[in-house]
Amino acid sequence: MRRTALLASTAVLAALLPWASARAADAPAPVPVDRFEGEVPFAQQPAESIFTWGGDADDPPALSLTDRSDAPEGQKVLAGSYDISGYGGFTHDFAASGPPHDWSAHRGIRLWWEGHGTGKKTTFEIKDGGANGEASELWTTSFTDDFTGWKQIELPFTDFTYRTDYQPVGGIDHVLGLTRMWGYAVTLPTGVRGTFALDGVELYGTADQSLRALVTTDAAVHTVREGGTASVKVTVATTGDQPLTDPVTVTYATQGGTATAGQDYTPVSGTLTFPPGTASGTARTIEVPTRKDRDAESAETVPLTLTVTGAKAPADTPQIVIDAHGLPYLDAKLPVRERVADLLSRMSLAEKAGQMTQAERGAMSDAGDIAGYALGSLLSGGGSTPTPNTPEGWARMIDGFQLRTRATRFQIPLIYGVDAVHGHNNLAGATIMPHNVGIGATRDPALAQRTGAVTAAEVRATGIPWDFAPCLCVSRDERWGRSYESFGEDPALVQSMETVVQGLQGRADGRDLSRDDKVLATAKHFVGDGGTAYGSSTTGTYTIDQGVTTVTPRQLRDIHLAPFETAVERGIGTVMPSYSSLDIVGDGKGAVKMHARGDMINGVLKDRMGFEGFVISDWNALDQLPGDYAARVRTSVNAGVDMMMVPYGYKDFTGALVAEVRAGRIAERRIDDAVGRILTEKFRLGLFEHPYADTGGASRIGSAAHRAVAREAAAKSQVLLKNDGGLLPLKPTQKVYVAGSDADDLGNQTGGWTLTWQGSSGAVTQGTTILQGMRKSGAAITYSKDASAPTAGYDVGVVVVGETPYAEGVGDVGNGHDLRLSAADREAVDRVCAAMKCAVLIVSGRPQLIGDQLGEIDALVASWLPGTEGDGVADVLYGRRPFTGQLPVTWPRSQAQLPINVGDSSYDPQYPYGWGLTTLTKVPRGGAAALKALGVAARAAERAGADSAGRALVGRARLIVQQKAGQHLSPAVAGPFAEADHLLLTGRYAQAVEKLTAAYRAA
């Protein structure tokens, strides 16, 4: 028998189900939804069960069915505890695939809730319509914990509003029909630790017949130039598109607002009538004329009040807005500095505070808050996407948010941001590049710039002008869950790859930012996040991410600050501080969270480096600072953070910021500096002239041309670590046996930050797996994921193994992860390599410890996380391109060696930094004599400033050393070999050849 949320007895169940009960002509009896006596299991979607969810690993609440003597109903209640920094709650899907429940006979839903008098709001959501529980509309309301003890909370269905910010599959009909109900969800308060108890969820009362009809307007905001006429379309719709059975009337009148009736506009009033039999979707139009004068003015509002009978009224009162005009800041011919100064001089403190605030789109249960709080920015966190998740869906969503800003006095546009860290990775069907560790392996700055350009074009084409990338961390410990976001362990390598900034933004002076294929870039995370010590993190179960970086002043300057100096020189528009703490030896401060280090943000970044953009905080980073909320706001803003990413706490932040300024604890000049920086970038992006999405480039998203760049990047990122007997490249005539967990898994291949924050295995987006790319070679290929198929009769085996996706501290080693292959992957390697010559490809965000199996492997490839274009991997496997990639990080022999980096005094890796064999390239002959000649030529190239020639000469010397060393990489070989690559990147070509000569002698 199918599990349900009601009583387990079949007889009782039939009597209680809303579609099985005989409805009385008057109020129906209450119908239980949840009694929490054990009839509902805890499980995961899709299932008829209760399950938890949250923004990260710590956010889902802990739930249990608990015996309570004071239970309002039965013996047990649903109890839980929570400590949520992002978002979190639980859902009860009482119908997973069907049949849905019919709640249309009832007035609302009610529940018993144990209050603690916190004053915090709890959000309650119901799932209506659609094909199933995960393809339905979300409707939301809330209640406040302003009581103690048990209280029965009644939530009339008329109080629920359609969620405009997040819908799993988009709108069905935007009508709360109540005939196909799938479940409910509870979102718990954030930023406080608490407990709760819930019991006796049930339906009550007689249905409000107006729920079957809904009056809507074509937009919440209608802009008009002064002197023009605004047209507001009013539409009536019904559940199931049925004609009206009762009349619906809409009485309208212009009243209130900031515009003056008779002076700024002609007032209108009247009644629209939709008689019985009116077809669903019928519309009428209300026109509001405005009047023109000669004065320059800020925007003025004319609310159009609608009083609806016989149907549900619109969620918003439509606003007619007479656009701002004639003011200097609106003049695109004026210098940006003058426009900023003019606008700043007109803004109130509250408006300035709004500009310093960034909220998550998922927090916008009331989109009117954008204007109400004068918000300056919104973002999509990882996986926070519109529905449908298409370019059109993104543009439509962002335009809808942008429209809300037109109802503010100065119509300052939003700047919308996303984490497009390896392509437009939140968008289904976008071109997904290799993660940064793979880009670092290419050693190709021009290619890095092209990948940035593709990303920028695809992001901007969906209406988004701001990208929280690139990550300029210098990863010093592969146990870090974010190590794949780094270009490598050498600051010189990171600096060389910062051409990606020009790919994203265009020229360093910012003149290209207003183009439809460029975005504002973000250098993150300032500073030292790649140097956090293992075991120093205090964030949940993280072991290294968000921990403490302890460095000398010189280490700080040479390793961690250097990439940010380069970024500032390249004109980076924004900088994001790190969650981590910085402990500078000898400064007497100890470990201080970066969001509180004014000496680094104000002193080093802004003053010494001359950074002129604005500083954006990381997600909820404010909550990690010590002190009460006001102290945290004061500390971070005074330290130099210009815009605060407070995804769900934007109301608290704006209020606290205003209060701190009025109390004199934050100077108004500091606020003006922050807002001036933010407005400058908005003007440079052209948002004041073109606030809405320019989708002209949308047809190029995921195009063949863009995927060709990603394919080239994937090919050049492949690092050939071992190639005994010249096994690679493969020949199309060979019969190939392919195995391994990552051979045919696009999600594993793309890694974290792909469609969702953590990423996931499987066919998560559009692309080509490595196996699919290999099959295009025309070779005879057999695939057996676990290598269980017979292995006899093959010329060569290819085993593709590695990691499953993760992001940030969730992927820290020691937090459910290690650097060893899974048992299944190790077994696949053993089976295939014991039966035939084999090549092993490791798809991962960091090196994997494979030394104990290395002897049985003929060819070994570090494939990193190559993105959606598995064809690029196949290109080098089959010799359509040569292997040219080099290790961007040191490949350790054991975990006990970590951290291990180029330049260490004790350096004995499995493979050194910079290692990478080549194919299709002849190794220069002559050994020591050839190296001597190359050294002389390199010295001449260095003196002449011939960088291209110098790099080529060092590259030839490297091939000679690698050929002689083979797999016999002693410390005497590995140390100078790795140091040579650092010297190459810093332009010291002659010294690089000298180091390679030393490695050659030791080989």
Side-chain angles (χ1 to χ4, degrees), residues 437 478 483-485 803 806 843-848 864-865:
V437 68
E478 277 60 65
S483 57
Y484 64 75
E485 294 186 53
E803 296 184 304
Y806 55 81
V843 176
S844 65
R846 53 197 170 193
Q848 301 293 285
W864 307 116
L865 299 169

Side-chain angles (χ1 to χ4, degrees), residues 43-51 93-98 127 132-135:
Q44 290 296 317
Q45 298 170 289
E48 292 154 3
S49 64
I50 295 172
F51 56 91
D93 276 352
F94 47 70
S97 57
K127 299 182 174 185
N132 56 62
E134 296 312 303

